[in-house]
């Protein structure tokens, strides 16, 4: 990011990259901040229903009459979320990670704003909206990974992606707090969907204006920063993979791949069970009001944000001190 008194920074033609400009922060740092806010919005849009669901069912009794009930509403998101993970990566590589990530959040924001309307139309309309939200959010993590394969120098990769993904925890905390407060008001639960939806739409336009899928496509990146990023990545000798039958079969037979997959599945199982069911436990089993439910449900994610932020810094320092990347990752994943 550069400052120039004669040319607005958002235009940034290459000829303005002159010595009279003062560098403020690198564009890869800007990208990390934009992704942080994207994940903030994504998780705020995702988890507000976990707190609002009880008030929603109270205000709209038809949602529980002759239907599979609350559990299916909360799980419907994952019906759409799971199948599109691998296709999301392919879409990002083919059509560009910037628009894949941005449009995934934008579509989720619009659908979130439609949630109160869908709930009043009927149970299955609400289920449909939640499934569609899952489908659009599914492409965001693969798109985020595709972005950083082009933008993150290896020695900064851990800290840049840590900053980005810590938005999931901050967004979760904020959404749980705010939704609890909204639900305390008379007929206030729809505001949790309207407000977070509008914020997500505003983020999309800022993201598209500031971010490109690769340094070579960005008109504002200095030649120095571009050379540093591309040179650092090239030094790793990255392999351009094509998903042919032989490669796919080797992946299926890879022990390390299965170890990572199983570990990640176990982590996600615990994470999403807490994320989805903890607010209901506090509200129904412990009889907390909505404000207390929001605060108590957010506590684990405050701790996760702190641990994730410190862990990213520590991991990069351990690698810089000579510890192998594989060993560092095993330490932090165990």
């Amino acid at each position: 990011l550069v400052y120039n008194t004669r040319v607005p920074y958002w235009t940034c033609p290459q000829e303005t990259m002159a010595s009279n400009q003062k560098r403020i922060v690198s564009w890869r740092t800007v990208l990390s901040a934009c992704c942080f806010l994207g994940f903030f919005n994504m998780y705020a849009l995702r988890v507000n229903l976990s707190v609002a669901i009880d008030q929603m069912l109270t205000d709209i009794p038809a949602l529980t009459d002759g239907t599979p009930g609350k559990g299916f509403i909360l799980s419907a998101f994952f019906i759409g979320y799971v199948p599109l993970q691998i296709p999301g990566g392919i879409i990002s590589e083919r059509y560009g990670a910037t628009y894949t990530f941005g449009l995934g959040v934008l579509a989720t924001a619009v659908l979130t704003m439609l949630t109160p309307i869908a709930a009043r139309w009927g149970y299955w309309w609400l289920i449909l909206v939640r499934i569609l939200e899952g489908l659009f959010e599914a492409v965001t993590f693969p798109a985020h990974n595709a972005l950083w394969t082009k933008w993150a120098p290896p020695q900064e990769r851990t800290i840049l992606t840590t900053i980005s993904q810590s938005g999931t925890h901050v967004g979760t905390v904020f959404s749980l707090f705010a939704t609890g407060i909204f639900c305390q008001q008379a007929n206030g639960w729809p505001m949790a969907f309207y407000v977070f939806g509008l914020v997500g739409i505003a983020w999309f336009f800022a993201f598209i204006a500031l971010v490109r899928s690769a340094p070579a496509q960005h008109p504002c990146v200095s030649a120095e920063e571009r050379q540093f990023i591309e040179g650092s990545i090239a030094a790793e000798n990255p392999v351009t993979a094509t998903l042919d039958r032989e490669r796919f079969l080797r992946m299926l037979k890879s022990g390390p791949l299965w170890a990572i997959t199983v570990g990640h599945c176990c982590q996600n199982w615990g994470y999403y069970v807490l994320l989805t069911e903890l607010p209901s436990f506090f509200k129904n089993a412990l009889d907390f009001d909505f404000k207390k439910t929001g605060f108590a449900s957010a506590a684990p994610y405050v701790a996760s944000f702190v641990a994730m932020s410190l862990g990213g810094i520590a991991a990069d320092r351990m690698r810089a001190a000579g510890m192998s990347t594989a060993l560092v990752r095993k330490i932090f994943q165990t």
Side-chain angles (χ1 to χ4, degrees):
L1 184 61
V2 295
Y3 172 74
N4 187 300
T5 56
R6 299 192 301 273
V7 182
Y9 75 87
W10 54 84
T11 59
C12 288
Q14 287 292 344
E15 58 265 28
T16 66
M17 297 297 177
S19 59
N20 65 337
Q21 293 174 319
K22 180 181 179 181
R23 181 175 300 282
I24 302 173
V25 292
S26 67
W27 272 101
R28 58 191 183 277
T29 305
V30 174
L31 172 60
S32 189
C34 288
C35 290
F36 171 91
L37 293 174
F39 281 122
F40 175 97
N41 281 290
M42 194 171 72
Y43 271 68
L45 296 167
R46 180 187 299 194
V47 307
N48 51 9
L49 184 65
S50 296
V51 176
I53 184 70
D54 289 301
Q55 190 62 45
M56 182 189 295
L57 295 178
T58 300
D59 289 355
I60 311 174
L63 292 175
T64 56
D65 294 341
T67 65
K70 180 172 74 173
F72 191 50
I73 296 174
L74 292 172
S75 63
F77 174 91
F78 299 99
I79 296 174
Y81 189 72
V82 172
L84 219 59
Q85 295 293 310
I86 294 175
I90 297 171
I91 292 168
S92 299
E93 292 290 343
R94 181 167 298 180
Y95 299 106
T98 300
Y99 276 96
T100 304
F101 188 93
L103 290 172
V105 178
L106 174 65
T108 306
V110 172
L111 288 165
T112 297
M113 295 185 69
L114 294 175
T115 299
I117 299 171
R120 297 190 187 282
W121 282 358
Y123 183 88
W124 293 108
W125 283 106
L126 178 59
I127 294 297
L128 176 62
V129 167
R130 291 295 291 177
I131 292 174
L132 291 174
E133 284 185 33
L135 282 171
F136 283 107
E137 277 206 18
V139 302
T140 53
F141 270 102
H144 171 260
N145 294 336
L147 271 174
W148 286 119
T149 62
K150 302 292 197 304
W151 277 95
Q155 61 269 39
E156 298 177 5
R157 189 172 295 150
T158 304
I159 186 62
L160 288 170
T161 56
T162 295
I163 292 170
S164 299
Q165 294 187 22
S166 63
T168 62
H169 300 303
V170 179
T172 298
V173 170
F174 187 83
S175 183
L176 292 170
F177 281 160
T179 305
I181 293 171
F182 284 134
C183 289
Q184 285 287 97
Q185 315 304 315
N187 297 314
W189 63 266
M191 291 302 296
F193 299 93
Y194 298 143
V195 171
F196 291 133
L198 286 172
V199 172
I201 292 170
W203 169 88
F204 167 78
F205 291 104
F207 182 76
I208 293 301
L210 290 171
V211 174
R212 300 294 183 271
S213 296
Q217 299 172 10
H218 206 302
C220 301
V221 174
S222 67
E224 179 186 4
E225 182 177 4
R226 177 181 170 183
Q227 290 169 5
F228 171 67
I229 294 171
E230 293 178 347
S232 298
I233 294 173
E236 273 199 325
N237 297 316
V239 176
T240 301
T242 55
L243 192 61
D244 54 32
R245 182 175 180 274
E246 182 182 352
R247 188 181 298 273
F248 185 70
L249 289 174
R250 289 206 306 268
M251 287 171 59
L252 291 179
K253 297 175 183 178
S254 170
L257 176 62
W258 279 108
I260 293 170
T261 302
V262 171
H264 194 61
C265 286
C266 293
Q267 187 271 337
N268 273 268
W269 173 268
Y271 184 91
Y272 286 117
V273 166
L274 285 177
L275 190 65
T276 305
E277 298 294 344
L278 197 59
S280 293
F281 172 76
F282 285 129
K283 181 71 177 64
N284 300 321
L286 301 183
D287 200 28
F288 284 11
D289 61 29
F290 285 106
K291 187 181 293 186
K292 287 182 179 178
T293 295
F295 275 76
S297 300
Y301 305 101
V302 174
S304 292
F305 169 70
V306 173
M308 189 175 185
S309 301
L310 296 178
I313 297 171
D316 273 346
R317 290 187 176 180
M318 291 163 70
R319 292 171 64 208
M323 191 174 291
S324 73
T325 299
L327 179 58
V328 171
R329 289 176 178 169
K330 288 176 182 178
I331 290 171
F332 280 90
Q333 290 289 334
T334 307

